[in-house]
Amino acid sequence: MRKCDQYQVKLIDFLKKELSQEEEKDLAGHLSECPTCQFELKKMENLLEALKEEQNVELSPTFWSSFPAQVRERIESQKKRAKGFKPSWVLVPMATAAAIFMAVSLFKVDQQNLAKRMSGPEGTIVWLGGATNLSEFAAEAEEAVKDLDQAVEKEYWQNEDLSILLAELSDEEFNSLEEKVKNLKF
Amino acid sequence: MADQDLELVQRFQNGDESAFNRLVSRHQHKMFNLAYKMIRNIEDAKDLTQEVFVKAYQGLKNFKGQSSFSTWLYQIALNSAINYSNSKRWKNLVSLFEVKEPTAAWGNPIQEMRQDQMNKTIDNAILSLPPKQRAVFVLRHYEELPYQEIAKMTGRTEGALKANYFQAVKKLQKKLSHLR
């Protein structure tokens, strides 16, 4: 990293007075003799000023007073749905397929296109050009996301939104899932 | 503040459901602001804030208090917002049909129009950042959290976060340079 880059990374914290005394002194010394960084500082100042013009969103007190009740309602409705009948022989392959579907959609597969392609004959899934028997698809998918299976089984039907489960993944887990999905061969 | 949260968490874990409502009331504004700053759409941010608390409810029985409740909640909100931003569901809709809630009393229409345009320009600039970079920017700039705490939430090093923040600022500079 160039010397100026090292200083420029700190400019915004300098403007917000969030550097240590030592860092601030060091940066001020550099600024006094570097026109490039002075120019960068001016640009940062302008940015902060522009962002200050942004108006905050205020929701009505009525909305906030009823908000905990709305959350409670959503929790109760999810609990009710979670009590539905779900035999495990349906649950595991379905959840696995759902995991793959959601994961792939996150990796920028054209969803509209996918929806069109998925309308294959009964019991098959039409996927990237070829029809795959749903049970074969589920078996391959199960292998690929085996680490997720249990979590999916437990969480998916409760939440009815796999994005919630995926959001819980750490970067490492997410990357690992991404790799597995990318390497799937159908 | 943190002690009160901890007490409410313990009450909830011991079966007092009403304690959860108190936790929601205490943190709802902060979580909404974070969601809104991340996704820049009022209706989606309201929905996402609800989702954050539903997830918190589901996980709270197992919350061990290794971090503060607030940090834990931030983590949930952040991951949800990143995930939300990654999904195409809302991307296509963003800002197209948004109806903004009235945010101020009657004022000068020209000034309001200018303000509205300004907000949209800033929204678009921030939405153009990749979700994870945007998250770092939002936590640092709007929430004013120290790098150390953001590092705990995101599992990244402080050095990586500083670089990320800097990159975000540079991109915003380019996008917003015409405003000043």
Short mmCIF file of all heavy atoms in Angstrom, two decimals, chain B residues 56-95:
data_model
loop_
_atom_site.label_atom_id
_atom_site.label_comp_id
_atom_site.label_asym_id
_atom_site.label_seq_id
_atom_site.Cartn_x
_atom_site.Cartn_y
_atom_site.Cartn_z
N ALA B 56 -35.37 -13.50 16.64
CA ALA B 56 -34.83 -13.34 17.99
C ALA B 56 -35.65 -14.17 18.98
O ALA B 56 -35.09 -14.86 19.85
CB ALA B 56 -34.85 -11.87 18.39
N TYR B 57 -36.96 -14.16 18.80
CA TYR B 57 -37.83 -14.94 19.68
C TYR B 57 -37.46 -16.42 19.59
O TYR B 57 -37.37 -17.12 20.59
CB TYR B 57 -39.29 -14.72 19.25
CG TYR B 57 -40.29 -15.50 20.07
CD1 TYR B 57 -40.83 -14.95 21.23
CD2 TYR B 57 -40.70 -16.76 19.68
CE1 TYR B 57 -41.76 -15.65 21.99
CE2 TYR B 57 -41.63 -17.47 20.43
CZ TYR B 57 -42.15 -16.92 21.58
OH TYR B 57 -43.06 -17.62 22.32
N GLN B 58 -37.26 -16.87 18.34
CA GLN B 58 -36.95 -18.29 18.14
C GLN B 58 -35.60 -18.68 18.75
O GLN B 58 -35.41 -19.81 19.18
CB GLN B 58 -36.97 -18.63 16.65
CG GLN B 58 -38.37 -18.61 16.08
CD GLN B 58 -38.40 -18.53 14.56
OE1 GLN B 58 -37.37 -18.26 13.92
NE2 GLN B 58 -39.56 -18.74 13.99
N GLY B 59 -34.68 -17.74 18.76
CA GLY B 59 -33.33 -18.08 19.24
C GLY B 59 -33.07 -17.71 20.69
O GLY B 59 -32.06 -18.12 21.26
N LEU B 60 -33.98 -16.96 21.27
CA LEU B 60 -33.69 -16.39 22.59
C LEU B 60 -33.58 -17.43 23.71
O LEU B 60 -32.85 -17.23 24.68
CB LEU B 60 -34.75 -15.34 22.94
CG LEU B 60 -34.37 -14.33 24.01
CD1 LEU B 60 -33.06 -13.64 23.69
CD2 LEU B 60 -35.48 -13.29 24.16
N LYS B 61 -34.31 -18.54 23.55
CA LYS B 61 -34.23 -19.58 24.58
C LYS B 61 -32.79 -20.09 24.71
O LYS B 61 -32.37 -20.52 25.77
CB LYS B 61 -35.16 -20.75 24.20
CG LYS B 61 -36.65 -20.46 24.39
CD LYS B 61 -37.17 -20.99 25.72
CE LYS B 61 -38.68 -20.91 25.82
NZ LYS B 61 -39.16 -19.61 26.26
N ASN B 62 -32.06 -20.07 23.58
CA ASN B 62 -30.68 -20.59 23.59
C ASN B 62 -29.64 -19.50 23.74
O ASN B 62 -28.44 -19.78 23.64
CB ASN B 62 -30.41 -21.36 22.29
CG ASN B 62 -31.37 -22.51 22.12
OD1 ASN B 62 -31.68 -23.20 23.09
ND2 ASN B 62 -31.88 -22.70 20.92
N PHE B 63 -30.07 -18.27 23.92
CA PHE B 63 -29.12 -17.16 24.05
C PHE B 63 -28.35 -17.32 25.37
O PHE B 63 -28.93 -17.41 26.44
CB PHE B 63 -29.89 -15.83 24.04
CG PHE B 63 -29.03 -14.61 24.24
CD1 PHE B 63 -28.18 -14.18 23.25
CD2 PHE B 63 -29.08 -13.90 25.43
CE1 PHE B 63 -27.39 -13.05 23.42
CE2 PHE B 63 -28.31 -12.77 25.62
CZ PHE B 63 -27.46 -12.34 24.61
N LYS B 64 -27.00 -17.36 25.23
CA LYS B 64 -26.18 -17.65 26.42
C LYS B 64 -25.59 -16.38 27.04
O LYS B 64 -24.91 -16.43 28.03
CB LYS B 64 -25.02 -18.59 26.04
CG LYS B 64 -25.44 -19.94 25.46
CD LYS B 64 -25.73 -20.94 26.56
CE LYS B 64 -25.89 -22.36 26.03
NZ LYS B 64 -27.02 -22.54 25.11
N GLY B 65 -25.78 -15.27 26.37
CA GLY B 65 -25.23 -14.03 26.92
C GLY B 65 -23.74 -13.87 26.71
O GLY B 65 -23.08 -13.14 27.44
N GLN B 66 -23.20 -14.57 25.69
CA GLN B 66 -21.76 -14.42 25.43
C GLN B 66 -21.46 -13.03 24.87
O GLN B 66 -20.38 -12.50 25.06
CB GLN B 66 -21.28 -15.50 24.46
CG GLN B 66 -21.10 -16.82 25.19
CD GLN B 66 -21.12 -18.01 24.27
OE1 GLN B 66 -21.63 -17.94 23.16
NE2 GLN B 66 -20.57 -19.12 24.74
N SER B 67 -22.42 -12.47 24.15
CA SER B 67 -22.31 -11.06 23.76
C SER B 67 -23.51 -10.36 24.39
O SER B 67 -24.37 -11.02 24.97
CB SER B 67 -22.38 -10.92 22.24
OG SER B 67 -23.63 -11.36 21.78
N SER B 68 -23.57 -9.04 24.26
CA SER B 68 -24.74 -8.35 24.82
C SER B 68 -25.94 -8.69 23.95
O SER B 68 -25.79 -9.07 22.78
CB SER B 68 -24.51 -6.85 24.85
OG SER B 68 -24.54 -6.34 23.54
N PHE B 69 -27.14 -8.53 24.51
CA PHE B 69 -28.35 -8.80 23.74
C PHE B 69 -28.39 -7.90 22.51
O PHE B 69 -28.75 -8.33 21.42
CB PHE B 69 -29.59 -8.56 24.62
CG PHE B 69 -30.88 -8.69 23.86
CD1 PHE B 69 -31.36 -9.94 23.50
CD2 PHE B 69 -31.61 -7.57 23.49
CE1 PHE B 69 -32.55 -10.07 22.77
CE2 PHE B 69 -32.79 -7.68 22.77
CZ PHE B 69 -33.26 -8.93 22.41
N SER B 70 -27.97 -6.65 22.70
CA SER B 70 -28.00 -5.68 21.62
C SER B 70 -27.10 -6.11 20.46
O SER B 70 -27.49 -6.05 19.30
CB SER B 70 -27.60 -4.33 22.20
OG SER B 70 -27.35 -3.43 21.20
N THR B 71 -25.88 -6.56 20.78
CA THR B 71 -24.96 -7.01 19.73
C THR B 71 -25.55 -8.22 19.00
O THR B 71 -25.48 -8.33 17.77
CB THR B 71 -23.59 -7.39 20.33
OG1 THR B 71 -23.07 -6.24 20.98
CG2 THR B 71 -22.60 -7.87 19.29
N TRP B 72 -26.13 -9.12 19.79
CA TRP B 72 -26.73 -10.33 19.22
C TRP B 72 -27.86 -9.96 18.25
O TRP B 72 -27.97 -10.50 17.15
CB TRP B 72 -27.25 -11.19 20.38
CG TRP B 72 -27.86 -12.49 20.01
CD1 TRP B 72 -27.23 -13.60 19.55
CD2 TRP B 72 -29.27 -12.82 20.08
NE1 TRP B 72 -28.15 -14.61 19.33
CE2 TRP B 72 -29.40 -14.15 19.65
CE3 TRP B 72 -30.41 -12.12 20.47
CZ2 TRP B 72 -30.62 -14.81 19.60
CZ3 TRP B 72 -31.62 -12.77 20.42
CH2 TRP B 72 -31.74 -14.10 20.00
N LEU B 73 -28.67 -8.99 18.67
CA LEU B 73 -29.79 -8.55 17.84
C LEU B 73 -29.29 -7.86 16.57
O LEU B 73 -29.82 -8.08 15.48
CB LEU B 73 -30.65 -7.59 18.66
CG LEU B 73 -32.11 -7.42 18.26
CD1 LEU B 73 -32.84 -8.76 18.27
CD2 LEU B 73 -32.81 -6.45 19.21
N TYR B 74 -28.26 -7.04 16.72
CA TYR B 74 -27.64 -6.39 15.57
C TYR B 74 -27.19 -7.43 14.56
O TYR B 74 -27.33 -7.25 13.35
CB TYR B 74 -26.41 -5.59 16.01
CG TYR B 74 -26.64 -4.10 16.15
CD1 TYR B 74 -26.49 -3.47 17.38
CD2 TYR B 74 -26.99 -3.32 15.06
CE1 TYR B 74 -26.69 -2.10 17.53
CE2 TYR B 74 -27.19 -1.96 15.19
CZ TYR B 74 -27.04 -1.35 16.42
OH TYR B 74 -27.24 -0.01 16.54
N GLN B 75 -26.59 -8.50 15.10
CA GLN B 75 -26.08 -9.56 14.22
C GLN B 75 -27.21 -10.16 13.40
O GLN B 75 -27.08 -10.36 12.19
CB GLN B 75 -25.47 -10.66 15.08
CG GLN B 75 -24.02 -10.85 14.84
CD GLN B 75 -23.40 -11.73 15.91
OE1 GLN B 75 -23.94 -11.88 17.01
NE2 GLN B 75 -22.27 -12.31 15.59
N ILE B 76 -28.32 -10.44 14.07
CA ILE B 76 -29.48 -11.01 13.37
C ILE B 76 -29.97 -10.03 12.31
O ILE B 76 -30.22 -10.40 11.16
CB ILE B 76 -30.62 -11.33 14.36
CG1 ILE B 76 -30.19 -12.42 15.35
CG2 ILE B 76 -31.88 -11.78 13.61
CD1 ILE B 76 -31.23 -12.74 16.41
N ALA B 77 -30.09 -8.77 12.70
CA ALA B 77 -30.61 -7.76 11.78
C ALA B 77 -29.70 -7.60 10.57
O ALA B 77 -30.15 -7.50 9.42
CB ALA B 77 -30.78 -6.43 12.50
N LEU B 78 -28.43 -7.58 10.85
CA LEU B 78 -27.45 -7.39 9.79
C LEU B 78 -27.48 -8.53 8.79
O LEU B 78 -27.54 -8.32 7.57
CB LEU B 78 -26.07 -7.30 10.44
CG LEU B 78 -25.00 -6.65 9.64
CD1 LEU B 78 -25.37 -5.21 9.37
CD2 LEU B 78 -23.70 -6.71 10.42
N ASN B 79 -27.45 -9.76 9.32
CA ASN B 79 -27.50 -10.92 8.42
C ASN B 79 -28.79 -10.95 7.63
O ASN B 79 -28.79 -11.27 6.44
CB ASN B 79 -27.35 -12.22 9.22
CG ASN B 79 -25.94 -12.42 9.71
OD1 ASN B 79 -25.01 -11.85 9.16
ND2 ASN B 79 -25.77 -13.18 10.76
N SER B 80 -29.88 -10.61 8.30
CA SER B 80 -31.17 -10.60 7.58
C SER B 80 -31.15 -9.56 6.48
O SER B 80 -31.64 -9.81 5.37
CB SER B 80 -32.32 -10.29 8.54
OG SER B 80 -32.33 -11.20 9.60
N ALA B 81 -30.61 -8.39 6.80
CA ALA B 81 -30.61 -7.31 5.80
C ALA B 81 -29.69 -7.65 4.63
O ALA B 81 -30.03 -7.38 3.47
CB ALA B 81 -30.18 -6.00 6.44
N ILE B 82 -28.56 -8.26 4.91
CA ILE B 82 -27.64 -8.64 3.83
C ILE B 82 -28.33 -9.68 2.95
O ILE B 82 -28.31 -9.61 1.72
CB ILE B 82 -26.31 -9.19 4.39
CG1 ILE B 82 -25.51 -8.05 5.03
CG2 ILE B 82 -25.49 -9.87 3.30
CD1 ILE B 82 -24.27 -8.49 5.76
N ASN B 83 -28.95 -10.63 3.62
CA ASN B 83 -29.63 -11.68 2.88
C ASN B 83 -30.79 -11.13 2.05
O ASN B 83 -30.99 -11.50 0.90
CB ASN B 83 -30.15 -12.72 3.88
CG ASN B 83 -30.66 -13.94 3.17
OD1 ASN B 83 -29.96 -14.51 2.35
ND2 ASN B 83 -31.87 -14.30 3.45
N TYR B 84 -31.49 -10.22 2.65
CA TYR B 84 -32.60 -9.55 1.98
C TYR B 84 -32.10 -8.82 0.73
O TYR B 84 -32.69 -8.88 -0.33
CB TYR B 84 -33.19 -8.54 2.96
CG TYR B 84 -34.68 -8.32 2.85
CD1 TYR B 84 -35.58 -9.31 3.21
CD2 TYR B 84 -35.17 -7.09 2.44
CE1 TYR B 84 -36.93 -9.09 3.15
CE2 TYR B 84 -36.53 -6.86 2.39
CZ TYR B 84 -37.41 -7.87 2.74
OH TYR B 84 -38.74 -7.64 2.68
N SER B 85 -30.96 -8.15 0.91
CA SER B 85 -30.39 -7.40 -0.21
C SER B 85 -29.92 -8.35 -1.31
O SER B 85 -29.94 -8.00 -2.48
CB SER B 85 -29.20 -6.57 0.26
OG SER B 85 -29.60 -5.74 1.29
N ASN B 86 -29.47 -9.53 -0.91
CA ASN B 86 -28.98 -10.49 -1.90
C ASN B 86 -30.12 -11.12 -2.70
O ASN B 86 -29.93 -11.56 -3.81
CB ASN B 86 -28.19 -11.61 -1.21
CG ASN B 86 -26.77 -11.19 -0.91
OD1 ASN B 86 -26.23 -10.32 -1.58
ND2 ASN B 86 -26.17 -11.77 0.11
N SER B 87 -31.26 -11.20 -2.11
CA SER B 87 -32.34 -11.88 -2.81
C SER B 87 -32.92 -10.96 -3.89
O SER B 87 -32.95 -9.75 -3.73
CB SER B 87 -33.43 -12.32 -1.84
OG SER B 87 -34.21 -11.21 -1.49
N LYS B 88 -33.42 -11.56 -4.93
CA LYS B 88 -33.94 -10.74 -6.03
C LYS B 88 -35.33 -10.22 -5.73
O LYS B 88 -35.82 -9.33 -6.42
CB LYS B 88 -34.00 -11.59 -7.30
CG LYS B 88 -32.68 -11.72 -7.98
CD LYS B 88 -32.87 -12.30 -9.35
CE LYS B 88 -31.58 -12.18 -10.14
NZ LYS B 88 -31.75 -12.62 -11.51
N ARG B 89 -35.95 -10.83 -4.74
CA ARG B 89 -37.35 -10.52 -4.46
C ARG B 89 -37.62 -9.02 -4.40
O ARG B 89 -38.54 -8.52 -5.00
CB ARG B 89 -37.71 -11.18 -3.12
CG ARG B 89 -39.15 -11.10 -2.74
CD ARG B 89 -39.46 -12.20 -1.75
NE ARG B 89 -38.72 -12.04 -0.52
CZ ARG B 89 -39.24 -11.60 0.60
NH1 ARG B 89 -40.50 -11.28 0.65
NH2 ARG B 89 -38.50 -11.51 1.69
N TRP B 90 -36.80 -8.33 -3.64
CA TRP B 90 -37.09 -6.91 -3.49
C TRP B 90 -36.31 -6.03 -4.44
O TRP B 90 -36.67 -4.92 -4.72
CB TRP B 90 -36.82 -6.47 -2.05
CG TRP B 90 -35.37 -6.40 -1.75
CD1 TRP B 90 -34.58 -7.42 -1.37
CD2 TRP B 90 -34.53 -5.26 -1.86
NE1 TRP B 90 -33.30 -7.01 -1.23
CE2 TRP B 90 -33.23 -5.68 -1.52
CE3 TRP B 90 -34.73 -3.93 -2.21
CZ2 TRP B 90 -32.14 -4.81 -1.51
CZ3 TRP B 90 -33.64 -3.07 -2.20
CH2 TRP B 90 -32.37 -3.52 -1.85
N LYS B 91 -35.19 -6.61 -5.00
CA LYS B 91 -34.32 -5.80 -5.85
C LYS B 91 -35.08 -5.15 -6.99
O LYS B 91 -34.89 -3.99 -7.32
CB LYS B 91 -33.20 -6.66 -6.41
CG LYS B 91 -31.89 -6.45 -5.69
CD LYS B 91 -30.81 -7.22 -6.40
CE LYS B 91 -29.57 -7.21 -5.54
NZ LYS B 91 -28.56 -8.13 -6.03
N ASN B 92 -35.95 -5.97 -7.61
CA ASN B 92 -36.67 -5.46 -8.78
C ASN B 92 -37.69 -4.40 -8.41
O ASN B 92 -38.12 -3.64 -9.25
CB ASN B 92 -37.38 -6.63 -9.48
CG ASN B 92 -36.38 -7.66 -9.94
OD1 ASN B 92 -35.25 -7.32 -10.23
ND2 ASN B 92 -36.79 -8.92 -9.98
N LEU B 93 -38.07 -4.42 -7.17
CA LEU B 93 -39.14 -3.50 -6.78
C LEU B 93 -38.60 -2.20 -6.20
O LEU B 93 -39.33 -1.23 -6.06
CB LEU B 93 -40.02 -4.16 -5.71
CG LEU B 93 -40.74 -5.41 -6.15
CD1 LEU B 93 -41.42 -6.06 -4.96
CD2 LEU B 93 -41.79 -5.06 -7.19
N VAL B 94 -37.30 -2.25 -5.88
CA VAL B 94 -36.78 -1.18 -5.07
C VAL B 94 -37.08 0.21 -5.64
O VAL B 94 -36.92 0.44 -6.83
CB VAL B 94 -35.27 -1.37 -4.82
CG1 VAL B 94 -34.41 -0.64 -5.81
CG2 VAL B 94 -34.90 -0.97 -3.44
N SER B 95 -37.63 1.00 -4.82
CA SER B 95 -37.94 2.42 -5.09
C SER B 95 -38.92 2.70 -6.23
O SER B 95 -39.31 3.83 -6.45
CB SER B 95 -36.67 3.24 -5.30
OG SER B 95 -36.20 3.07 -6.61
#
